Amino acid sequence: MKTSAETIWFTPALRTLTALLGAGSFGLGALAVFATQNGTGSAALIVFGGALILLALLGNRIESLEFGGATLRMRAAAAERFALAEESERRGDTATAGMLRAEASALLDAAGPIAADYSSVRGSMRAGASRTRAMEEVLARARRLAREQSFERAEVLRWLREGTDEERITALAMMQANPELRNFEATLACIARSRTAFEQYHAMRLALHMVDALDADQARRLAEAVEAQRGIRFRMDPDRRRLGKEILRKVRTRSQER
């Protein structure tokens, strides 16, 4: 079960109280490990205490906290640093701009828990419609995040090109939601060399959104990539077959109009 606390602003007294409660819970859990045989209860106390300590330490920088998904979003701080970086760059202070962007990128690790939730769903549920729906719900959160806050385009592209399976699917969802984050070459590579069927499906969904903005050569290469996959990967998957047909139809229509 997932419980959320939305936008909590800590006074010093409340932060101190939270830290004391966290330390007490953590200590009781550690003691219970040796004094009782209730391993589940002990672990719960330790995890809960650790979460309270983390909350107290980070204070106002946490915009939202979700126990279970452990989502820590630091949207305001990251957006502020990106804005300051742009301002520093306009002034010619590239060193400060680089430092600010590095700080912002660290804050944007807030997307990490989304990837972790995707991994948890994928690893704990059997393949099928229920698991697919659950994974789609996780990706819907990534899309909302991309629409609501500023992200460094290069960082999202790095997730897609170099990241784990979970980071790659998170990046695809964010690109679907925010055109400014998109990259044709990385999307094409993801269609041709996807790690999972789910990833390929979402790379194709992203490509479908991008067709109208492609030049003639890019559109041709996309059609070739989809055609190459049709007989290999789509045979047992009606969703990807349907999506592939839609991409090819849209590319042909676009070519005829020009």
Side-chain angles (χ1 to χ4, degrees):
M1 180 178 292
K2 191 174 286 187
T3 306
S4 65
E6 297 179 357
T7 316
I8 300 175
W9 301 102
F10 288 102
T11 64
L14 183 56
R15 186 180 299 186
T16 300
L17 178 60
T18 302
L20 290 173
L21 288 172
S25 178
F26 191 91
L28 285 173
L31 180 63
V33 169
F34 300 99
T36 75
Q37 308 217 345
N38 186 357
T40 302
S42 301
L45 283 171
I46 290 172
V47 171
F48 182 68
L52 287 179
I53 292 170
L54 179 64
L55 189 60
L57 289 173
L58 293 179
N60 290 342
R61 287 180 296 161
I62 299 179
E63 181 176 335
S64 70
L65 173 70
E66 290 179 5
F67 293 97
T71 302
L72 298 176
R73 296 194 339 194
M74 300 181 185
R75 177 171 63 201
E80 179 184 9
R81 280 164 174 76
F82 278 130
L84 290 172
E86 293 295 328
E87 184 179 337
S88 296
E89 199 160 63
R90 283 195 296 270
R91 293 199 308 264
D93 188 355
T94 56
T96 299
M99 180 188 69
L100 288 166
R101 285 201 177 94
E103 291 176 2
S105 294
L107 290 169
L108 291 183
D109 284 342
I114 292 177
D117 283 355
Y118 171 81
S119 178
S120 177
V121 168
R122 185 167 173 243
S124 63
M125 296 179 69
R126 291 183 179 180
S130 295
R131 187 177 76 166
T132 298
R133 281 195 299 271
M135 292 192 299
E136 289 288 0
E137 288 175 5
V138 175
L139 295 196
R141 288 168 48 206
R143 294 186 191 99
R144 286 196 298 270
L145 197 63
R147 285 191 292 264
E148 291 171 359
Q149 73 181 66
S150 299
F151 279 85
E152 184 75 7
R153 185 171 182 267
E155 183 68 8
V156 178
L157 179 59
R158 184 185 67 78
W159 294 346
L160 183 55
R161 284 179 167 165
E162 304 172 15
T164 62
D165 290 359
E166 296 77 21
E167 289 169 339
R168 283 162 63 92
I169 197 68
T170 300
L172 285 171
M174 295 173 73
M175 289 180 179
Q176 288 168 1
N178 187 343
E180 294 182 1
L181 299 176
R182 295 172 185 171
N183 181 280
F184 172 72
E185 295 297 336
T187 303
L188 190 67
C190 205
I191 292 172
R193 296 185 294 277
S194 60
R195 296 178 185 176
T196 66
F198 193 70
E199 178 183 289
Q200 187 178 55
Y201 172 79
H202 279 282
M204 291 170 64
R205 276 189 61 178
L206 173 58
L208 186 61
H209 292 318
M210 297 170 66
V211 169
D212 290 337
L214 301 180
D215 61 34
D217 182 64
Q218 289 173 329
R220 176 187 58 78
R221 291 168 60 205
L222 173 60
E224 289 174 353
V226 171
E227 286 281 12
Q229 295 294 310
R230 290 178 75 184
I232 303 171
R233 305 286 293 275
F234 301 173
R235 191 169 301 163
M236 304 299 292
D237 189 336
D239 291 330
R240 280 183 291 167
R241 281 204 308 272
R242 176 191 56 76
L243 193 52
K245 289 178 181 178
E246 179 63 17
I247 290 172
L248 294 174
R249 183 197 64 76
K250 196 167 184 179
V251 168
R252 284 195 295 269
T253 301
R254 178 181 173 280
S255 301
Q256 291 168 1
E257 289 174 350
R258 294 189 177 185

